Amino acid sequence: MSVDLSELPNLDPAAFVRPDPLALSDARATHAPRILLLYGSLRERSYSKLLALEAARLLQAMGAETRLFDPAGLPLPDAAPDSDAKVQELRELTLWSEGMVWSSPERHGAMSGVLKAQIDWIPLSQGALRPTQGKTLALLQVSGGSQSFNALNQMRVLGRWMRLLTIPNQSSVAKAWQEFDTPGRMRPSPYYDRLVDVMEELLKFTLLTRDLAPYLVDRYSERRPGTDSLAAASGAAPPAVVAPT
């Protein structure tokens, strides 16, 4: 069907593509969704880690394959070369994943530096790949006191910056020290029920979007000639293909 673009003189017709519903109905992959979980504390009894482990158990029960990254030994950003073994491990897991879970404690009204360092080591572009673009993300927070959403709000901004499809639901666990038993399992509570909700939503969004990510993140501005030079001038990452799944 022809489209009259005469009323849009600033539009590049060669790069303009109307969204196609048929492109959103491709055959679905059948392998288990791959979810990477990051947590934000190095404490021996880390509640952000315990929450991430509980999330991983739920995801596995729902049919996902999960990996948990241990941040111990990860250098501060720019304090080591990209070839550092822990940095490479984190980046390889990011490429492997189709969705992510970030679990952070709230420290001084903010997300933890441990989690931020992990995110800072994940580049927006890596060779011809964008490690996070088009993948799903769920956000979790633990607090020592009353319920707060400061860390969640910061992580949501970072998720958008990393071009992740951050799901609407989220989990904030207040007084986390009383929500886990001695072996580290989460006790029954409305907080636990919310965690189930969030993981269920993450898996649904991952199943819905993982095969369509290249189409969903295809952009008019990046199809236009000269995008590379514009990106270089603005400091943005140049266009690149999405990591194969």
mmCIF file of all heavy atoms in Angstrom, residues 116-145:
data_model
loop_
_atom_site.group_PDB
_atom_site.id
_atom_site.type_symbol
_atom_site.label_atom_id
_atom_site.label_comp_id
_atom_site.label_asym_id
_atom_site.label_seq_id
_atom_site.Cartn_x
_atom_site.Cartn_y
_atom_site.Cartn_z
ATOM 1 N N LYS A 116 26.187 -1.054 40.789
ATOM 2 C CA LYS A 116 26.481 -0.041 39.770
ATOM 3 C C LYS A 116 27.772 -0.382 39.032
ATOM 4 O O LYS A 116 27.878 -0.177 37.818
ATOM 5 C CB LYS A 116 26.594 1.332 40.426
ATOM 6 C CG LYS A 116 26.846 2.497 39.453
ATOM 7 C CD LYS A 116 25.734 2.646 38.436
ATOM 8 C CE LYS A 116 25.759 4.000 37.738
ATOM 9 N NZ LYS A 116 27.012 4.298 37.030
ATOM 10 N N ALA A 117 28.770 -0.915 39.752
ATOM 11 C CA ALA A 117 30.028 -1.283 39.099
ATOM 12 C C ALA A 117 29.806 -2.372 38.055
ATOM 13 O O ALA A 117 30.414 -2.351 36.975
ATOM 14 C CB ALA A 117 31.046 -1.745 40.144
ATOM 15 N N GLN A 118 28.934 -3.329 38.368
ATOM 16 C CA GLN A 118 28.645 -4.382 37.392
ATOM 17 C C GLN A 118 28.012 -3.804 36.139
ATOM 18 O O GLN A 118 28.386 -4.157 35.012
ATOM 19 C CB GLN A 118 27.721 -5.427 38.026
ATOM 20 C CG GLN A 118 28.367 -6.190 39.177
ATOM 21 C CD GLN A 118 27.360 -7.064 39.906
ATOM 22 O OE1 GLN A 118 26.922 -8.088 39.396
ATOM 23 N NE2 GLN A 118 26.999 -6.659 41.113
ATOM 24 N N ILE A 119 27.054 -2.908 36.329
ATOM 25 C CA ILE A 119 26.383 -2.304 35.186
ATOM 26 C C ILE A 119 27.365 -1.455 34.377
ATOM 27 O O ILE A 119 27.336 -1.451 33.143
ATOM 28 C CB ILE A 119 25.177 -1.470 35.666
ATOM 29 C CG1 ILE A 119 24.150 -2.379 36.365
ATOM 30 C CG2 ILE A 119 24.523 -0.734 34.497
ATOM 31 C CD1 ILE A 119 23.078 -1.639 37.111
ATOM 32 N N ASP A 120 28.255 -0.749 35.079
ATOM 33 C CA ASP A 120 29.221 0.100 34.384
ATOM 34 C C ASP A 120 30.208 -0.708 33.543
ATOM 35 O O ASP A 120 30.772 -0.186 32.576
ATOM 36 C CB ASP A 120 29.995 0.957 35.385
ATOM 37 C CG ASP A 120 29.167 2.108 35.926
ATOM 38 O OD1 ASP A 120 28.106 2.387 35.341
ATOM 39 O OD2 ASP A 120 29.573 2.714 36.935
ATOM 40 N N TRP A 121 30.430 -1.973 33.899
ATOM 41 C CA TRP A 121 31.334 -2.810 33.118
ATOM 42 C C TRP A 121 30.661 -3.387 31.872
ATOM 43 O O TRP A 121 31.324 -3.946 31.007
ATOM 44 C CB TRP A 121 31.881 -3.953 33.965
ATOM 45 C CG TRP A 121 33.141 -3.629 34.712
ATOM 46 C CD1 TRP A 121 33.323 -3.634 36.069
ATOM 47 C CD2 TRP A 121 34.415 -3.287 34.154
ATOM 48 N NE1 TRP A 121 34.607 -3.301 36.394
ATOM 49 C CE2 TRP A 121 35.313 -3.087 35.231
ATOM 50 C CE3 TRP A 121 34.890 -3.112 32.858
ATOM 51 C CZ2 TRP A 121 36.650 -2.737 35.040
ATOM 52 C CZ3 TRP A 121 36.225 -2.755 32.666
ATOM 53 C CH2 TRP A 121 37.080 -2.569 33.747
ATOM 54 N N ILE A 122 29.339 -3.260 31.775
ATOM 55 C CA ILE A 122 28.624 -3.755 30.595
ATOM 56 C C ILE A 122 28.545 -2.630 29.581
ATOM 57 O O ILE A 122 27.895 -1.619 29.827
ATOM 58 C CB ILE A 122 27.204 -4.235 30.960
ATOM 59 C CG1 ILE A 122 27.261 -5.341 32.020
ATOM 60 C CG2 ILE A 122 26.469 -4.732 29.722
ATOM 61 C CD1 ILE A 122 25.897 -5.717 32.571
ATOM 62 N N PRO A 123 29.205 -2.731 28.447
ATOM 63 C CA PRO A 123 29.217 -1.622 27.490
ATOM 64 C C PRO A 123 27.903 -1.517 26.723
ATOM 65 O O PRO A 123 27.162 -2.489 26.588
ATOM 66 C CB PRO A 123 30.364 -1.985 26.547
ATOM 67 C CG PRO A 123 30.404 -3.483 26.584
ATOM 68 C CD PRO A 123 29.996 -3.883 27.974
ATOM 69 N N LEU A 124 27.616 -0.320 26.242
ATOM 70 C CA LEU A 124 26.451 -0.142 25.374
ATOM 71 C C LEU A 124 26.665 -0.823 24.036
ATOM 72 O O LEU A 124 25.722 -1.280 23.403
ATOM 73 C CB LEU A 124 26.167 1.349 25.172
ATOM 74 C CG LEU A 124 25.585 2.098 26.372
ATOM 75 C CD1 LEU A 124 25.482 3.576 26.059
ATOM 76 C CD2 LEU A 124 24.228 1.546 26.741
ATOM 77 N N SER A 125 27.911 -0.868 23.597
ATOM 78 C CA SER A 125 28.232 -1.592 22.379
ATOM 79 C C SER A 125 29.521 -2.349 22.593
ATOM 80 O O SER A 125 30.404 -1.910 23.327
ATOM 81 C CB SER A 125 28.371 -0.638 21.187
ATOM 82 O OG SER A 125 29.439 0.272 21.400
ATOM 83 N N GLN A 126 29.622 -3.524 21.967
ATOM 84 C CA GLN A 126 30.794 -4.385 22.111
ATOM 85 C C GLN A 126 31.086 -4.988 20.750
ATOM 86 O O GLN A 126 30.469 -5.972 20.353
ATOM 87 C CB GLN A 126 30.534 -5.470 23.157
ATOM 88 C CG GLN A 126 31.737 -6.336 23.479
ATOM 89 C CD GLN A 126 31.447 -7.290 24.629
ATOM 90 O OE1 GLN A 126 30.399 -7.223 25.253
ATOM 91 N NE2 GLN A 126 32.379 -8.171 24.920
ATOM 92 N N GLY A 127 31.992 -4.364 20.015
ATOM 93 C CA GLY A 127 32.220 -4.793 18.647
ATOM 94 C C GLY A 127 30.976 -4.531 17.813
ATOM 95 O O GLY A 127 30.473 -3.410 17.755
ATOM 96 N N ALA A 128 30.443 -5.572 17.208
ATOM 97 C CA ALA A 128 29.237 -5.440 16.391
ATOM 98 C C ALA A 128 27.978 -5.766 17.179
ATOM 99 O O ALA A 128 26.902 -5.899 16.608
ATOM 100 C CB ALA A 128 29.334 -6.367 15.175
ATOM 101 N N LEU A 129 28.095 -5.884 18.506
ATOM 102 C CA LEU A 129 26.962 -6.296 19.327
ATOM 103 C C LEU A 129 26.588 -5.213 20.320
ATOM 104 O O LEU A 129 27.438 -4.462 20.797
ATOM 105 C CB LEU A 129 27.297 -7.582 20.095
ATOM 106 C CG LEU A 129 27.715 -8.800 19.269
ATOM 107 C CD1 LEU A 129 28.119 -9.931 20.199
ATOM 108 C CD2 LEU A 129 26.592 -9.238 18.356
ATOM 109 N N ARG A 130 25.313 -5.156 20.663
ATOM 110 C CA ARG A 130 24.841 -4.356 21.787
ATOM 111 C C ARG A 130 24.405 -5.355 22.859
ATOM 112 O O ARG A 130 23.350 -5.971 22.727
ATOM 113 C CB ARG A 130 23.686 -3.461 21.356
ATOM 114 C CG ARG A 130 24.180 -2.221 20.638
ATOM 115 C CD ARG A 130 23.013 -1.369 20.202
ATOM 116 N NE ARG A 130 23.488 -0.112 19.647
ATOM 117 C CZ ARG A 130 22.789 0.617 18.798
ATOM 118 N NH1 ARG A 130 21.607 0.231 18.413
ATOM 119 N NH2 ARG A 130 23.272 1.761 18.345
ATOM 120 N N PRO A 131 25.178 -5.524 23.900
ATOM 121 C CA PRO A 131 24.949 -6.627 24.838
ATOM 122 C C PRO A 131 23.586 -6.621 25.528
ATOM 123 O O PRO A 131 23.078 -7.672 25.880
ATOM 124 C CB PRO A 131 26.082 -6.453 25.859
ATOM 125 C CG PRO A 131 27.139 -5.705 25.134
ATOM 126 C CD PRO A 131 26.416 -4.787 24.218
ATOM 127 N N THR A 132 22.987 -5.449 25.763
ATOM 128 C CA THR A 132 21.738 -5.405 26.530
ATOM 129 C C THR A 132 20.526 -4.989 25.712
ATOM 130 O O THR A 132 19.394 -5.177 26.168
ATOM 131 C CB THR A 132 21.885 -4.428 27.722
ATOM 132 O OG1 THR A 132 22.329 -3.151 27.241
ATOM 133 C CG2 THR A 132 22.895 -4.958 28.728
ATOM 134 N N GLN A 133 20.727 -4.437 24.538
ATOM 135 C CA GLN A 133 19.608 -3.866 23.795
ATOM 136 C C GLN A 133 18.532 -4.892 23.471
ATOM 137 O O GLN A 133 18.815 -5.969 22.958
ATOM 138 C CB GLN A 133 20.109 -3.250 22.491
ATOM 139 C CG GLN A 133 18.997 -2.679 21.629
ATOM 140 C CD GLN A 133 19.520 -1.877 20.469
ATOM 141 O OE1 GLN A 133 19.643 -0.665 20.564
ATOM 142 N NE2 GLN A 133 19.838 -2.521 19.359
ATOM 143 N N GLY A 134 17.289 -4.552 23.817
ATOM 144 C CA GLY A 134 16.156 -5.396 23.477
ATOM 145 C C GLY A 134 15.897 -6.541 24.436
ATOM 146 O O GLY A 134 14.930 -7.287 24.263
ATOM 147 N N LYS A 135 16.738 -6.696 25.450
ATOM 148 C CA LYS A 135 16.522 -7.758 26.432
ATOM 149 C C LYS A 135 15.634 -7.243 27.563
ATOM 150 O O LYS A 135 15.502 -6.034 27.767
ATOM 151 C CB LYS A 135 17.867 -8.247 26.973
ATOM 152 C CG LYS A 135 18.755 -8.830 25.885
ATOM 153 C CD LYS A 135 20.069 -9.344 26.417
ATOM 154 C CE LYS A 135 20.912 -9.896 25.263
ATOM 155 N NZ LYS A 135 22.161 -10.522 25.731
ATOM 156 N N THR A 136 15.038 -8.144 28.299
ATOM 157 C CA THR A 136 14.127 -7.757 29.368
ATOM 158 C C THR A 136 14.880 -7.568 30.678
ATOM 159 O O THR A 136 15.987 -8.089 30.869
ATOM 160 C CB THR A 136 13.029 -8.803 29.565
ATOM 161 O OG1 THR A 136 13.635 -10.091 29.738
ATOM 162 C CG2 THR A 136 12.088 -8.844 28.378
ATOM 163 N N LEU A 137 14.257 -6.840 31.603
ATOM 164 C CA LEU A 137 14.869 -6.553 32.900
ATOM 165 C C LEU A 137 13.797 -6.465 33.973
ATOM 166 O O LEU A 137 12.768 -5.818 33.781
ATOM 167 C CB LEU A 137 15.646 -5.236 32.835
ATOM 168 C CG LEU A 137 16.190 -4.695 34.160
ATOM 169 C CD1 LEU A 137 17.262 -5.618 34.732
ATOM 170 C CD2 LEU A 137 16.747 -3.278 33.974
ATOM 171 N N ALA A 138 14.061 -7.118 35.115
ATOM 172 C CA ALA A 138 13.220 -6.974 36.307
ATOM 173 C C ALA A 138 14.073 -6.410 37.439
ATOM 174 O O ALA A 138 15.261 -6.737 37.565
ATOM 175 C CB ALA A 138 12.621 -8.318 36.723
ATOM 176 N N LEU A 139 13.465 -5.581 38.294
ATOM 177 C CA LEU A 139 14.190 -4.869 39.340
ATOM 178 C C LEU A 139 13.706 -5.276 40.726
ATOM 179 O O LEU A 139 12.494 -5.327 40.987
ATOM 180 C CB LEU A 139 14.008 -3.362 39.161
ATOM 181 C CG LEU A 139 14.414 -2.800 37.787
ATOM 182 C CD1 LEU A 139 14.048 -1.330 37.681
ATOM 183 C CD2 LEU A 139 15.896 -3.015 37.543
ATOM 184 N N LEU A 140 14.685 -5.534 41.621
ATOM 185 C CA LEU A 140 14.407 -5.910 43.001
ATOM 186 C C LEU A 140 15.239 -5.039 43.938
ATOM 187 O O LEU A 140 16.367 -4.668 43.615
ATOM 188 C CB LEU A 140 14.754 -7.383 43.250
ATOM 189 C CG LEU A 140 14.264 -8.427 42.239
ATOM 190 C CD1 LEU A 140 14.797 -9.802 42.627
ATOM 191 C CD2 LEU A 140 12.748 -8.435 42.170
ATOM 192 N N GLN A 141 14.676 -4.745 45.114
ATOM 193 C CA GLN A 141 15.387 -3.940 46.104
ATOM 194 C C GLN A 141 15.138 -4.503 47.494
ATOM 195 O O GLN A 141 14.031 -4.960 47.802
ATOM 196 C CB GLN A 141 14.914 -2.483 46.056
ATOM 197 C CG GLN A 141 15.453 -1.614 47.181
ATOM 198 C CD GLN A 141 14.938 -0.185 47.144
ATOM 199 O OE1 GLN A 141 14.546 0.325 46.090
ATOM 200 N NE2 GLN A 141 14.929 0.481 48.284
ATOM 201 N N VAL A 142 16.168 -4.461 48.348
ATOM 202 C CA VAL A 142 16.014 -4.790 49.758
ATOM 203 C C VAL A 142 16.424 -3.583 50.593
ATOM 204 O O VAL A 142 17.331 -2.836 50.212
ATOM 205 C CB VAL A 142 16.856 -6.023 50.168
ATOM 206 C CG1 VAL A 142 16.336 -7.277 49.484
ATOM 207 C CG2 VAL A 142 18.332 -5.825 49.863
ATOM 208 N N SER A 143 15.737 -3.411 51.713
ATOM 209 C CA SER A 143 16.030 -2.303 52.614
ATOM 210 C C SER A 143 16.137 -2.830 54.039
ATOM 211 O O SER A 143 15.451 -3.796 54.403
ATOM 212 C CB SER A 143 14.935 -1.228 52.550
ATOM 213 O OG SER A 143 14.786 -0.749 51.233
ATOM 214 N N GLY A 144 16.974 -2.176 54.844
ATOM 215 C CA GLY A 144 17.092 -2.560 56.245
ATOM 216 C C GLY A 144 15.982 -1.993 57.096
ATOM 217 O O GLY A 144 15.675 -2.518 58.167
ATOM 218 N N GLY A 145 15.361 -0.907 56.642
ATOM 219 C CA GLY A 145 14.289 -0.256 57.372
ATOM 220 C C GLY A 145 12.981 -0.294 56.617
ATOM 221 O O GLY A 145 12.632 -1.309 56.004
#
